[in-house]
Amino acid sequence: MNDAFYLTEDQRLIRDLARTIARERVAPHAARYDDAEEYPEDSIRALIDAGLYGIWVPERYGGTDAGCLALALVCEEIAWACAATATQYLDQPLGGLPILRFGTEAQKTKYLPRLATGELLAAYSLSEPGAGSDAAGLRTTAVRRGDRYVLNGSKQWCTNGDHADVIVVFATIDPKLRAKGVTAFLVERGMPGFAVGKKEKKMGIRASPTVALHFTDCAVPVANRLGEEGEGFTIAMETLDVTRPATGAMAVGIAQAALDAAVAYARERHQFGRAVAAFQGIQFMLADMAMQVHAARLMVHHAARQVDAGIRGNTYEASMAKCWAGDAAMKVATDAIQVFGGYGYTREYPVERFMRDAKIMQIYEGTNQIQRLIIAKELLDD
């Protein structure tokens, strides 16, 4: 894709750096980490060493403040190589942006410089066993007692929860208040009463740990509350408006990897005396796949550029970008397997991993059904 006409020189340099690191130091480990379901230590270290962990952090806190589009560009390149590593990478701004946008100066000074260097790792914990798409239906409670809040309950689907040093945890001061009771807290590793629970065995992104979190009379200082009581739902949703374009970019990366693999294989695989790429049926499949990827990338870049332009009411575009890109990744990855035929169904080639990884793109950070509800609401509300 010729995007040079709207990317700045800095954005192109960041993308090219991410592409080099992803292809030389992340991609070679992807199959091994996926097969073993191990944390991608070498891949994460490569990204940290390259300085890519700080691109979303303002310069005054030790980052490079490159913006949302740059973050999306990096996420696409990493996901092309390994979607699990990209998920881990994006979890840093997912857990850090609430601090940047809603934290006190003391909280920002304490956490952001070390998040920018990768010294600290962050996570974001909103979902619960009974509150997934219904994010306002939290049951984990936070009761204030003096200069502490006491948290009780369980969270689920927390990416990086077992490796994070600080987790933005959403709890409620009163379940009956629904969204108006949700409050955000900065929970640190090792706080008494906080424990990491079951690690999920997943179909895809298997090198990215997804765990349950448990709170049993966990005392969190009032100084660790993020924003005001009842402001947590707003914090959660506004954070997702910023990260959803980057999530969409990960889907684009998976789709591009699947398309690249399918094109290469169609050129080299011969049947009936010629390359399968010579058959119109395959050509039309590849053309449709390319259009899906191209459209997804343009939607993602548009939503990301809105964030960089200071547009905060971009829920409509962010949801469309995430939804379209997630669906495109699944369609393109599935079609890539079809191009490969029986070989695509084996682990000899990476396209089966692309399909497994693509499926989560339709589910996390808000299912694509929820994205459609959001889009419809934006359309129909005056």
Side-chain angles (χ1 to χ4, degrees):
M1 173 182 172
N2 183 5
D3 48 22
F5 72 95
Y6 67 80
L7 294 184
T8 66
E9 181 179 359
D10 285 346
Q11 288 166 341
R12 289 195 299 273
L13 288 172
I14 289 172
R15 180 201 58 194
D16 292 347
L17 171 62
R19 180 172 297 174
T20 298
I21 297 298
R23 301 193 180 197
E24 294 181 1
R25 298 187 61 187
V26 176
H29 303 298
R32 170 171 62 90
Y33 281 130
D34 174 76
D35 189 56
E37 299 187 52
E38 290 181 358
Y39 181 80
E41 187 70 48
D42 293 339
S43 301
I44 296 299
R45 177 48 54 190
L47 299 172
I48 290 174
D49 289 347
L52 292 171
Y53 259 59
I55 67 171
W56 57 275
V57 180
E59 292 181 6
R60 67 182 180 276
Y61 299 114
T64 54
D65 203 13
C68 188
L69 179 54
L71 180 64
L73 294 168
V74 173
C75 284
E76 178 184 339
E77 296 301 331
I78 301 171
W80 184 95
C82 175
T85 300
T87 299
Q88 290 299 108
Y89 173 78
L90 184 57
D91 214 42
Q92 196 78 339
L94 182 61
L97 282 168
I99 302 173
L100 174 61
R101 298 189 64 188
F102 296 94
T104 64
E105 187 59 36
Q107 290 168 340
K108 294 176 185 179
T109 302
K110 179 179 179 180
Y111 296 109
L112 292 179
R114 291 189 290 168
L115 291 176
T117 62
E119 177 189 347
L120 294 182
L121 297 179
Y124 174 103
S125 183
L126 177 61
S127 295
E128 295 182 2
S133 294
D134 181 13
L138 301 185
R139 288 293 178 267
T140 297
T141 58
V143 178
R144 182 161 182 174
R145 295 177 182 166
D147 62 353
R148 296 282 190 273
Y149 283 89
V150 179
L151 271 59
N152 281 284
S154 294
K155 310 294 286 185
Q156 198 168 18
W157 315 122
C158 183
T159 298
N160 201 41
D162 57 345
H163 285 74
D165 300 286
V166 58
I167 306 174
V168 179
V169 175
F170 296 90
T172 181
I173 57 172
D174 184 350
K176 294 191 295 294
L177 293 177
R178 299 275 296 162
K180 294 181 180 179
V182 177
T183 305
F185 299 91
L186 299 172
V187 176
E188 298 181 5
R189 180 203 299 265
M191 280 185 168
F194 165 51
V196 174
K198 172 188 173 185
K199 179 181 175 182
E200 303 293 342
K201 296 183 71 67
K202 305 191 300 294
M203 178 174 74
I205 57 166
R206 303 198 318 178
S208 173
T210 304
V211 300
L213 306 178
H214 302 298
F215 301 91
T216 306
D217 293 333
C218 177
V220 179
V222 170
N224 282 40
R225 188 186 67 207
L226 194 59
E228 301 298 325
E229 286 190 358
E231 196 177 6
F233 192 81
T234 297
I235 293 172
M237 295 302 108
E238 290 193 11
T239 299
L240 294 176
D241 282 345
V242 177
T243 58
R244 275 180 181 147
T247 303
M250 288 196 292
V252 173
I254 297 169
Q256 185 68 60
L259 174 61
D260 291 347
V263 169
Y265 188 78
R267 284 173 171 161
E268 69 182 38
R269 173 70 169 171
H270 283 69
Q271 291 288 277
F272 304 101
R274 54 180 172 163
V276 299
F279 295 99
Q280 190 179 68
I282 296 297
Q283 292 175 358
F284 281 9
M285 283 183 69
L286 295 175
D288 285 342
M289 293 159 70
M291 287 189 284
Q292 289 278 321
V293 176
H294 187 63
R297 182 179 288 114
L298 291 176
M299 292 179 76
V300 164
H301 287 191
H302 176 75
R305 291 172 76 188
Q306 285 184 312
V307 175
D308 289 342
I311 298 171
R312 288 295 178 257
N314 70 322
T315 301
Y316 181 66
E317 291 87 349
S319 289
M320 284 198 295
K322 189 272 180 187
C323 185
W324 180 275
D327 285 349
M330 193 64 201
K331 179 69 166 62
V332 171
T334 302
D335 284 349
I337 290 179
Q338 196 70 20
V339 172
F340 273 74
Y343 287 110
Y345 201 66
T346 71
R347 293 192 181 184
E348 182 177 351
Y349 293 92
V351 287
E352 62 85 27
R353 171 165 55 87
F354 298 155
M355 188 186 77
R356 289 188 288 108
D357 289 347
K359 185 59 198 173
I360 193 62
M361 306 308 301
Q362 296 177 302
I363 298 173
Y364 68 5
E365 285 219 20
T367 67
N368 281 7
Q369 286 70 32
I370 290 295
Q371 302 311 316
R372 286 174 167 85
L373 287 175
I374 293 170
I375 294 164
K377 184 177 185 297
E378 293 289 321
L379 277 173
L380 297 171
D381 284 355
D382 292 329

